[in-house]
Amino acid sequence: MADLLLAGATIPPLTAADPGDASAWTPGIYYALPPIGRAPREADPEYDERDVAFAGVDGVGTKRLGFRGRDIDAELVFVAADAASARAARDALLSSLRAGRFSATVPGGSARPSCRLRRGGFRDVRSFTLGGRYCLLCAAGARQLALS
C-alpha cells in the first residue's frame, strides 16, 4: 500500500508496523486503516459558482469561478513504547504542520500543495495497546488553499 506524504514526512500504513510474529510492533507514525480508523482521503475541489441568465433565453447557466479549497483528512497512529514517547512524536509532527503551508499526498493521489491545518484540525481520538505498544490515534484535518 502507498504512503501518506504530509509536510515532508513519509507516513506508511499501520500494517507496516506489524512484524508478522508475536514480537512488539515497530514504533513510528502510521496512518490508520479499518477497523482502527479511516484511511486518508481528500474531498473534491470546491469552486465558487454563479448562476448566469440571459434575457430572452430560458434556463440558467452556471459560471465556475476560482478554486476555493479542498479538505484532506487522515487518522494517524503514533506507536511507541509508552504514552510520553507517543505524545512527543505527535507534538513534533504537529509543530511541523503548524509552521506554515505544506504539501500533502494521500495514498494513490496527487501532491496537493499549499495546505494548512484547519481550525481545530488536529485532535487526539483515543489511545489503545497494539502488539505490546502504546498507540495514540489522532485525527488530522488540512485544507488545500491554492492549486500552486
Side-chain angles (χ1 to χ4, degrees):
M1 199 164 221
D3 294 336
L4 167 68
L5 303 174
L6 195 60
T10 300
I11 302 171
L14 185 58
T15 53
D18 184 1
D21 56 20
S23 63
W25 283 42
T26 307
I29 304 171
Y30 304 93
Y31 66 81
L33 293 169
I36 291 175
R38 294 178 60 192
R41 60 218 169 269
E42 65 180 35
D44 289 335
E46 297 172 16
Y47 294 89
D48 275 344
E49 294 181 345
R50 182 161 298 151
D51 290 340
V52 179
F54 297 98
V57 178
D58 292 337
V60 178
T62 302
K63 173 68 177 167
R64 178 179 278 184
L65 303 174
F67 175 78
R68 294 298 176 248
R70 171 194 326 261
D71 288 337
I72 300 170
D73 295 297
E75 292 183 3
L76 306 176
V77 180
F78 296 85
V79 179
D82 54 34
S85 300
R87 293 188 192 289
R90 178 204 57 192
D91 292 344
L93 178 63
L94 187 53
S95 68
S96 69
L97 296 177
R98 286 181 176 156
R101 291 190 181 197
F102 55 87
S103 178
T105 306
V106 299
S110 300
R112 305 296 182 194
S114 299
C115 296
R116 297 279 312 232
L117 274 181
R118 291 192 308 257
R119 183 179 195 161
F122 200 96
R123 60 185 170 78
D124 293 357
V125 176
R126 64 186 163 107
S127 61
F128 54 94
T129 302
L130 188 64
R133 301 287 186 180
Y134 179 87
C135 298
L136 179 62
L137 178 67
C138 296
R143 182 147 180 96
Q144 181 185 12
L145 301 173
L147 294 172
S148 58

